[in-house]
Amino acid sequence: GHIVRNWKVRWFVLLQDKLLYYKIEGGKKEPFPKGRILLDGCTITCPCLEYENRPLLIKLKTKTNTDYFLECCSREERDSWALDITGAIHAGHPVQVQELHRMKNSFKLLENISLQHIVERMCDSNTGIKLTHNLEQGNRYKETFTGSALVDWLISNSFAVSRFEAVTLSSMLMEENFIKPVGARSTEATRYSDLSEQFLDDSTALYMFAESNNKNLSSKEGLQFNISELSGTIVKQGFLVKQGHKRKNWKVRRFVLRADPAFLHYYDPTKEENRPVGGFSLRGCLVSALEDNGVPAGVKGNVQGNLFKIITKNDIHYFIQASSKAERAQWIEAIKPLT
């Protein structure tokens, strides 16, 4: 929804130049459309990973910069809709349509892009693939990702233009020991002789970074972390209390706000090494103060007040406490111009 940001079931009809959507009452669609999306000048993003808990999204941005988020019922349905909508958008440009079909039916690793580079991008703390804990047949696996999540990530980061390409690329990553299967589902598939069948585009097949590769990446990622993200001018720094993402406990951290590029990093003051324990880009972030009357949703533990929240463009929520309302206002005022 555009006013109330909730999700509603709508019946969609794709025409040559527009996408109509209808309300459903009593199991039937109403005779007149509730709204329409004009496709002329539209851009489409599929898969759209802006909502971490909604992996089946299509995003449409109209030429007037209005965003529409459409959630499908399955990956097959999502990809089918995306392909048909893309065809309608480019219907008046036959050359682009031919190029789309050519790209869909061929595979070539992008020039000047190595598998090592792709894995380094996958490991990026802000824009890389999300590592989660997964359960399979009673076994718990830490820091893993699913086959379908990797396929979505490769497409959304323009390393592949179709699921076929992404599966082929994922198979190459596995063959070169950058990633490895974990759990019975993905391990069983490696017994197939055909390489294209060894990697599964499946939400139940689990994979993780290979251990030997993890060690190499950690140092390279750190080098890139220091050179690029920590090169900006320090605008503000000080001690704040931050809620953890996993345990939801509160810890004192030294925050450093930088501009050009705009990043907010935080350090563990109990460690001697002057190295951030976390940080994120401020581009596209939202920052706001939270009222002191009661505990907001998503906040746990000992809350003293003077809270503010930062939501990144990847929809990651950071809850932070300042020592006073004045300090909270100063941090918010310093962060906002950099978003």
Side-chain angles (χ1 to χ4, degrees), residues 93-330:
H93 308 278
V95 175
Q96 288 186 349
V97 174
Q98 290 177 6
E99 178 66 12
L100 278 170
H101 284 291
R102 186 193 67 78
M103 293 175 68
K104 292 289 180 183
N105 296 318
S106 64
F107 177 79
K108 182 182 179 182
L109 189 62
L110 296 175
E111 292 183 6
N112 302 321
I113 298 293
S114 66
L115 294 178
Q116 180 74 48
H117 171 75
I118 293 174
V119 180
E120 288 175 6
R121 286 278 302 275
M122 288 171 64
C123 291
D124 187 278
S125 58
N126 295 307
T127 59
I129 192 165
K130 303 301 178 186
L131 301 180
T132 58
H133 291 211
N134 286 285
L135 192 67
E136 185 194 55
Q137 296 182 357
N139 295 318
R140 184 175 295 276
Y141 299 95
K142 296 181 179 180
E143 297 188 335
T144 58
F145 48 87
T146 66
S148 55
L150 176 55
V151 169
D152 286 347
W153 186 89
L154 289 169
I155 296 173
S156 67
N157 284 272
S158 301
F159 289 118
V161 296
S162 68
R163 302 195 79 78
F164 168 75
E165 281 195 18
V167 168
T168 305
L169 188 51
S170 300
S171 300
M172 294 167 64
L173 290 171
M174 192 166 62
E175 185 182 30
E176 295 297 325
N177 199 35
F178 287 107
I179 63 173
K180 66 178 183 179
V182 289
R185 181 84 171 86
S186 57
T187 304
E188 179 69 24
T190 60
R191 299 178 182 178
Y192 289 104
S193 58
D194 189 349
L195 181 64
S196 64
E197 297 178 349
Q198 293 183 12
F199 181 87
L200 300 178
D201 178 9
D202 193 299
S203 60
T204 63
L206 303 181
Y207 298 88
M208 67 185 303
F209 293 112
E211 292 179 6
S212 59
N213 193 54
N214 259 345
K215 295 177 182 177
N216 296 330
L217 281 171
S218 60
S219 60
K220 290 189 177 183
E221 186 184 9
L223 181 64
Q224 185 181 14
F225 188 75
N226 285 313
I227 292 174
S228 61
E229 299 182 12
L230 305 180
S231 62
T233 304
I234 296 178
V235 176
K236 184 176 177 61
Q237 58 181 313
F239 290 93
L240 298 165
V241 184
K242 172 186 167 294
Q243 179 178 265
H245 286 291
K246 295 179 180 178
R247 298 183 180 178
K248 304 297 182 185
N249 53 351
W250 293 88
K251 293 182 179 180
V252 175
R253 294 288 182 253
R254 179 171 66 87
F255 280 77
V256 177
L257 178 64
R258 292 181 173 87
D260 298 319
F263 274 84
L264 184 62
H265 293 97
Y266 47 95
Y267 299 72
D268 186 347
T270 65
K271 294 183 178 180
E272 293 184 2
E273 59 179 5
N274 188 30
R275 177 177 170 80
V277 293
F280 51 93
S281 169
L282 291 172
R283 295 300 179 195
C285 283
L286 298 174
V287 57
S288 61
L290 298 177
E291 297 298 333
D292 293 337
N293 52 345
V295 180
V299 174
K300 295 182 179 180
N302 185 20
V303 181
Q304 304 296 328
N306 307 314
L307 274 172
F308 63 101
K309 178 170 70 171
I310 301 175
I311 306 176
T312 70
K313 64 179 181 180
N314 296 325
D315 202 35
I316 299 174
H317 294 225
Y318 289 86
F319 294 97
I320 303 169
Q321 295 186 62
S323 60
S324 66
K325 288 186 177 180
E327 186 184 48
R328 176 177 68 181
Q330 290 169 7

